[in-house]
Amino acid sequence: MKKVIAITIMLTLVLAAVSSGTDSPKGGSVGKDKGFKIDVPTFDTKVKPGEIQTVTIKLQRDDSFKQDVTLEIKLSKGEGITFDPTKVLIKASDKPDVQLTITAPKDAALGENIVSVTGTPTTGEPTSVEFKVKVVATEADYTIKSDSPKGGSALKGEGFKIAVPTFDTKVKQGEIQNVTISLERGDSFKQDVTLEIKLSKGEGITFDPAKVLVKASDKPDVQLTITAPKDAALGENIVSVTGTPTTGEPTSVEFNVKVVSP
């Protein structure tokens, strides 16, 4: 008997693990076999800046539900990422699956976005469901770590820090690599900050931009392009990033860039 119970529990866990997605409440009609649900990814969809990701949205039709359904896809939290399509009509005779293409531009802010999908039938009640899209750092960015001292002000909520890659950023001779530098603002810190990027050890690699003004109303992330010429010396370079606020104390932090062979 114990063996049968153990097998039953294991099968339940397996079925839960392979579940295709998260369902919306029923739309169309709550009557038996007369409605539909929207199925979206269960787990966070991850996309890197400058890349495209595809997810599947699916209609789950009851046996007697034969209506057309219009799906509308919107961003309910976050900014910058785009979808194709943003609106699509799924006819009763169509396949229930829609391939949704998610694009994150190169300057997309890292972090969480919440996508809302609403299905509206020809007649009956609409229904909605949400799923998460996370814009994550590229391989060169690795984990972002805030390890500068606080700048601006030492008072609680009134300063800022600079976040840079934790691990060595690697760039091949003759190639370009992108990293993200981010300002972490205290709740009350509303100043503009000028970031200056310099090479404090090494030679040959260049940055774009080498100086940038991050306004209080701007996104906190700056995409830094690192270029290593074909004849760049192999080895370690130390990059210094200094943030100077309109008023208050500046702060600096460093990270490593390694030039490696192609």
Side-chain angles (χ1 to χ4, degrees):
M1 183 66 181
K2 289 182 179 179
K3 188 174 181 181
V4 172
I5 294 171
I7 291 171
T8 303
I9 292 170
M10 186 174 292
L11 285 172
T12 302
L13 291 173
V14 169
L15 288 171
V18 298
S19 174
S20 58
T22 300
D23 292 338
S24 71
K26 185 184 281 190
S29 171
V30 294
K32 186 178 180 182
D33 297 334
K34 293 183 180 180
F36 73 99
K37 291 183 178 182
I38 306 169
D39 186 76
V40 294
T42 302
F43 303 107
D44 294 350
T45 298
K46 294 179 181 179
V47 59
K48 298 175 183 177
E51 291 190 355
I52 292 171
Q53 187 64 268
T54 301
V55 299
T56 300
I57 297 172
K58 185 174 183 178
L59 283 186
Q60 292 185 349
R61 297 176 177 273
D62 287 336
D63 294 338
S64 304
F65 183 76
K66 307 298 182 184
Q67 295 186 41
D68 298 347
V69 176
T70 300
L71 290 183
E72 241 181 315
I73 298 98
K74 293 181 178 179
L75 199 55
S76 60
K77 177 185 174 184
E79 57 180 338
I81 63 173
T82 57
F83 316 104
D84 185 29
T86 55
K87 191 173 185 179
V88 60
L89 174 66
I90 304 176
K91 295 185 177 180
S93 57
D94 288 347
K95 292 180 180 179
D97 299 339
V98 173
Q99 296 298 309
L100 180 67
T101 300
I102 301 167
T103 302
K106 289 183 179 179
D107 60 350
L110 301 181
E112 183 179 88
N113 298 267
I114 297 179
V115 182
S116 171
V117 184
T118 300
T120 305
T122 307
T123 61
E125 293 299 315
T127 187
S128 296
V129 65
E130 293 181 338
F131 68 97
K132 292 178 183 178
V133 175
K134 280 189 176 178
V135 180
V136 297
T138 60
E139 290 178 6
D141 289 332
Y142 295 102
T143 304
I144 298 298
K145 178 184 178 183
S146 299
D147 56 358
S148 75
K150 186 186 279 190
S153 171
L155 296 177
K156 185 176 179 181
E158 294 188 6
F160 72 100
K161 290 185 177 183
I162 306 170
V164 295
T166 304
F167 303 108
D168 293 347
T169 297
K170 293 179 181 177
V171 57
K172 296 178 182 178
Q173 289 171 316
E175 290 192 356
I176 292 171
Q177 190 62 270
N178 292 320
V179 300
T180 301
I181 297 172
S182 184
L183 285 185
E184 293 191 341
R185 298 176 176 273
D187 295 335
S188 306
F189 184 76
K190 308 297 182 185
Q191 295 186 41
D192 299 346
V193 176
T194 300
L195 291 180
E196 219 169 340
I197 298 98
K198 292 181 179 178
L199 199 55
S200 59
K201 177 185 174 183
E203 57 180 342
I205 63 173
T206 57
F207 315 103
D208 184 30
K211 190 174 184 178
V212 60
L213 175 65
V214 184
K215 294 185 177 180
S217 56
D218 288 346
K219 293 178 183 178
D221 300 329
V222 173
Q223 296 296 315
L224 180 67
T225 300
I226 301 170
T227 302
K230 290 182 179 179
D231 60 351
L234 299 178
E236 184 180 82
N237 297 266
I238 298 179
V239 181
S240 171
V241 184
T242 300
T244 305
T246 307
T247 61
E249 293 300 314
T251 186
S252 296
V253 65
E254 293 181 338
F255 67 96
N256 293 341
V257 175
K258 278 191 177 178
V259 179
V260 296
S261 347

